[in-house]
């Protein structure tokens, strides 16, 4: 059956400083007013998915207007929606400087929403739906409360630019940012079609990696993108992914908890970063949500559970519903580390210590084999006592489930490769906690100053381990790894920038202290 829709390209969207951004509009052929689904971002509204990711394009099933991480007009327009894709400032057809994480982008998004909400083909209701950057920008603009924004679904979207994305535990996550900037953004910068030469384009762009390198502490540069999650009041569904360690998972959960919205839902899924968004089950959920909020249809959405989590049991995945996060009734369980025998579980007999050489070395602590099936779902925290022969140390943490045969249960990364079940990071000089925002199960670090070590000085640190879901099988063990560098994995988020981690500061002997007055323990969310 031939596709029937109206496609308008490079429609002008005026914003507050007089600039005109450009958007594509896809709308039904029948006259009338329809709700809008909108995205604004840096990947080029006119760059076909078939060109950017041909294998992914084929796996989704093709589509004339398929575009990276955005809703497919061929699906939504026949269902009574207008799809609007806006090229962010400085990208694609939209002129101006390219700085994708400046507050001005969220202001532009606000103005684009208000423009769309007042068009003759719009009912006045605008929804936001998209993956990754197209989700991150949703949090930022929602905090500014544009009047025509009615509902949104941030699908795998970081919220805290410092903690979720650029500096995990204070440690620069450079490798992904470098790849992302060079391969996904500047190649669609405005003028890359030859209308502006390379020197001119370079003068118009601000590399977020260079900014992150020069700004190791948290501050206005990072917070201005999204000053306060509590400013978000619009109805939303936050969709996270257990395997997206190092970018989006933390933000989806933190934003769900921190937003003031009366109507908010959390979904955590498994799978790669893109395909689940287009699967029939996901499309049904998207339709049910937006049908209620944008069309006023009786879809039964308000009967949906507030929280629905994928539960990983080996190679199988089930689900669990709940009323909040962490799950009500969570049994917080402490497993103590014992450096004497590298065990994880009961109280150590006395004080002990174990050392490793950084950055290449590490140490592992293991539980005894579990005797009963045990579900661990929620945030995880680690209290450690540590010292170093140098003035600082970076702590990398990995949580694994190991079977009797030595085989490891693994998760699925954003690119479909295997990753550990949970990871955490902390730069010891950034160990100061924000006591008002910290929780026993989710330490929150200020990252506002450095507290360097004296060689051999023993200090307590609290490491945030990103949330997880593991159902440990009888006979299996939990293994906690602590190291001086990233663990080998299929993860894309590595912390190996030599400027951020000079050998003079981080190459030395690191020591973990346990027992007695230096009680080190892993805090787990056990579900009955």
């Amino acid at each position: 059956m031939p596709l029937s829709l109206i496609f308008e390209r490079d429609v002008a969207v005026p914003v507050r400083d007089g600039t005109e951004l450009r958007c594509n509009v896809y709308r039904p052929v029948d006259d009338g007013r329809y709700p809008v689904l909108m995205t604004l971002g840096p990947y080029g509204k006119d760059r076909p998915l078939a060109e950017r990711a041909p294998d992914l394009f084929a796996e989704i099933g093709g589509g004339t207007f398929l575009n990276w991480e955005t809703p497919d007009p061929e699906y939504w327009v026949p269902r009574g929606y207008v799809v609007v894709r806006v090229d962010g400032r400085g990208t694609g057809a939209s002129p101006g400087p390219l700085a994708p994480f400046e507050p001005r982008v969220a202001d532009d998004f606000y103005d684009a929403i208000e423009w769309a909400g007042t068009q003759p083909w719009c009912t006045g209701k605008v929804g936001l739906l998209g993956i990754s950057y197209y989700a991150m920008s949703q949090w930022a603009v929602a905090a500014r409360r544009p009047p025509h924004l009615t509902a949104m679904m941030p699908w795998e979207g970081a919220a805290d630019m410092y903690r979720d994305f650029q500096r995990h535990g204070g440690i620069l996550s450079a490798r992904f940012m470098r790849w992302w900037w060079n391969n996904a953004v500047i190649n669609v910068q405005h003028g890359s079609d030859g209308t502006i030469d390379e020197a001119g384009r370079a003068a118009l762009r601000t590399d977020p990696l260079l900014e992150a390198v020069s700004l190791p502490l948290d501050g206005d540069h990072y917070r201005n993108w999204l000053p306060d999650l509590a400013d978000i009041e619009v109805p939303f569904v936050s969709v996270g992914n257990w395997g997206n360690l190092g970018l989006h998972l933390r933000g989806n959960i933190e934003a769900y908890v921190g937003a003031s919205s009366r109507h908010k839902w959390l979904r955590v899924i498994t799978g790669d970063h893109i395909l689940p968004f287009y699967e029939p089950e996901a499309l049904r959920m998207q339709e049910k949500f937006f049908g209620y909020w944008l069309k006023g249809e009786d879809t039964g959405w308000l009967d949906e559970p507030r929280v629905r989590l994928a539960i990983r049991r080996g190679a199988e995945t089930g689900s669990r519903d709940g009323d909040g996060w962490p799950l009500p009734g969570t049994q917080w369980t402490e497993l103590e580390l014992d450096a004497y025998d590298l065990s994880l579980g009961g109280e150590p007999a006395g004080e002990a210590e174990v050392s490793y050489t950084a950055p290449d070395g590490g140490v592992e602590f293991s539980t005894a084999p579990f005797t009963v099936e045990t579900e661990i779902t929620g945030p995880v925290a680690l209290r450690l006592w540590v010292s170093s022969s140098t003035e600082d140390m970076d702590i990398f943490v990995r949580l694994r489930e190991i079977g009797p045969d030595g085989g490891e249960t693994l998760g699925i990364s954003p690119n479909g490769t295997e990753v550990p079940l949970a990871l955490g990071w902390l730069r010891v000089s950034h160990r100061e906690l924000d006591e008002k925002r910290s929780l026993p199960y989710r330490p929150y670090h200020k990252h506002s100053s450095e507290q360097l070590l004296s060689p051999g000085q023993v200090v307590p640190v609290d490491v945030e381990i990103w949330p997880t879901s593991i159902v440990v099988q009888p006979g299996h063990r939990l293994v906690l790894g602590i190291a001086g560098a990233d663990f080998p994995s299929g993860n894309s988020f590595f912390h190996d920038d030599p400027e951020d981690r000079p050998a003079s500061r981080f190459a030395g002997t690191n020591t973990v202290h346990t027992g007695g007055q230096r009680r080190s323990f892993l805090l787990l969310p056990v579900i009955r």
Side-chain angles (χ1 to χ4, degrees), residues 316-328:
E316 300 178 355
T317 303
S319 67
R320 177 181 291 281
D321 295 345
D323 294 329
W325 178 272
L327 290 170

Side-chain angles (χ1 to χ4, degrees), residues 106-148:
D107 294 337
D108 287 346
F109 206 172
Y110 181 112
D111 295 344
I113 290 168
E114 292 307 291
W115 169 84
T118 56
Q119 294 306 298
W121 34 257
C122 180
T123 59
K125 294 186 176 182
V126 177
L128 309 179
L129 175 63
I131 310 171
S132 195
Y133 184 94
Y134 296 111
M136 297 165 71
S137 58
Q138 290 181 48
W139 299 125
V141 72
R144 288 156 170 80
R145 301 177 185 170
H148 287 91

Side-chain angles (χ1 to χ4, degrees), residues 65-93:
F65 298 111
L66 268 179
N67 179 260
W68 183 253
E69 298 183 333
T70 60
D72 183 3
E74 292 184 54
Y75 183 86
W76 289 99
V77 172
R79 288 164 172 80
Y81 293 85
V82 175
V83 174
V84 177
R85 288 183 186 145
V86 185
D87 275 338
R89 186 183 293 247
T91 64

Side-chain angles (χ1 to χ4, degrees), residues 4-8 24-32 34 73 77-78 81-84 120-122:
S4 181
L5 59 77
I6 295 172
F7 169 40
E8 298 173 283
N24 289 351
V25 178
Y26 311 82
R27 55 191 179 89
V29 294
D30 295 334
D31 290 338
Y34 304 90
V77 172
Y81 293 85
V82 175
V83 174
V84 177
W121 34 257
C122 180

Side-chain angles (χ1 to χ4, degrees), residues 216-235:
L217 300 177
D218 195 10
D220 289 343
H221 167 74
Y222 297 100
R223 296 193 202 113
N224 285 342
W225 172 256
L226 176 53
D228 192 345
L229 287 167
D231 291 336
I232 298 173
E233 296 181 339
V234 68

Side-chain angles (χ1 to χ4, degrees), residues 147-434:
H148 287 91
L149 177 58
T150 307
M152 66 181 192
M153 190 176 292
W155 194 285
E156 294 199 48
D160 185 322
M161 294 303 299
Y162 189 94
R163 294 162 183 81
D164 298 349
F165 179 24
Q166 295 183 322
R167 284 190 166 270
H168 303 132
I171 309 169
L172 181 67
S173 178
R175 194 185 300 187
F176 174 77
M177 273 197 288
R178 185 177 295 111
W179 177 91
W180 173 79
W181 182 247
N182 291 323
N183 294 279
V185 180
I186 63 174
N187 54 3
V188 288
Q189 183 180 3
H190 180 70
S192 58
D193 59 356
T195 54
I196 303 176
D197 63 24
E198 170 55 27
R201 297 199 304 275
L204 285 170
R205 60 181 180 244
T206 302
D207 185 340
L209 175 58
L210 297 180
E211 292 185 302
V213 168
S214 66
L215 296 167
L217 300 177
D218 195 10
D220 289 343
H221 167 74
Y222 297 100
R223 296 193 202 113
N224 285 342
W225 172 256
L226 176 53
D228 192 345
L229 287 167
D231 291 336
I232 298 173
E233 296 181 339
V234 68
F236 69 82
V237 182
S238 176
V239 183
N241 188 322
W242 292 128
N244 206 326
L245 300 172
L247 185 51
H248 296 311
L249 171 62
R250 182 186 185 278
N252 280 110
I253 292 173
E254 287 291 307
Y256 169 77
V257 174
S260 298
S261 303
R262 178 185 172 195
H263 300 289
K264 59 181 181 179
W265 290 263
L266 175 66
R267 299 290 183 263
V268 184
I269 63 173
T270 61
D272 68 40
H273 184 48
I274 303 294
L275 286 174
F277 179 80
Y278 297 98
E279 290 175 350
E281 181 180 2
L283 293 171
R284 285 193 294 270
M285 179 183 72
Q286 294 165 23
E287 271 200 85
K288 190 173 184 179
F289 174 74
F290 287 114
Y292 178 82
W293 290 105
L294 298 188
K295 289 186 170 185
E297 297 173 347
D298 183 12
T299 64
W301 179 260
L302 292 185
D303 296 327
E304 286 284 313
R306 289 290 178 156
V307 173
R308 175 165 288 166
L309 309 174
I311 305 299
R312 300 183 292 188
R313 180 184 281 102
E316 300 178 355
T317 303
S319 67
R320 177 181 291 281
D321 295 345
D323 294 329
W325 178 272
L327 290 170
T330 297
Q331 181 178 336
W332 298 103
T333 303
E334 296 178 356
L335 301 183
E336 292 205 45
L337 285 65
D338 190 343
Y340 176 75
D341 59 3
L342 302 183
S343 64
L344 182 64
E347 183 178 352
E351 293 187 3
E353 61 184 55
V354 60
S355 298
Y356 58 90
T357 302
D360 298 324
V363 62
E364 288 191 329
F365 296 82
S366 175
T367 67
F370 279 56
T371 58
V372 296
E373 184 176 85
T374 304
E375 180 184 338
I376 298 165
T377 297
V380 182
L382 177 63
R383 159 55 69 98
L384 288 178
W385 289 80
V386 298
S387 62
S388 177
S389 63
T390 61
E391 64 181 5
D392 206 350
M393 61 185 287
D394 283 345
I395 298 174
F396 294 79
V397 175
R398 173 177 64 176
L399 193 60
R400 300 194 291 161
E401 179 189 353
I402 304 296
D405 61 355
E408 180 177 356
T409 301
L410 292 161
I412 303 171
S413 79
N415 56 15
T417 56
E418 294 180 327
V419 289
L421 296 176
L423 294 172
W425 307 266
L426 182 65
R427 177 156 289 171
V428 171
S429 60
H430 288 221
R431 63 188 177 275
E432 183 181 6
L433 292 173
D434 184 329

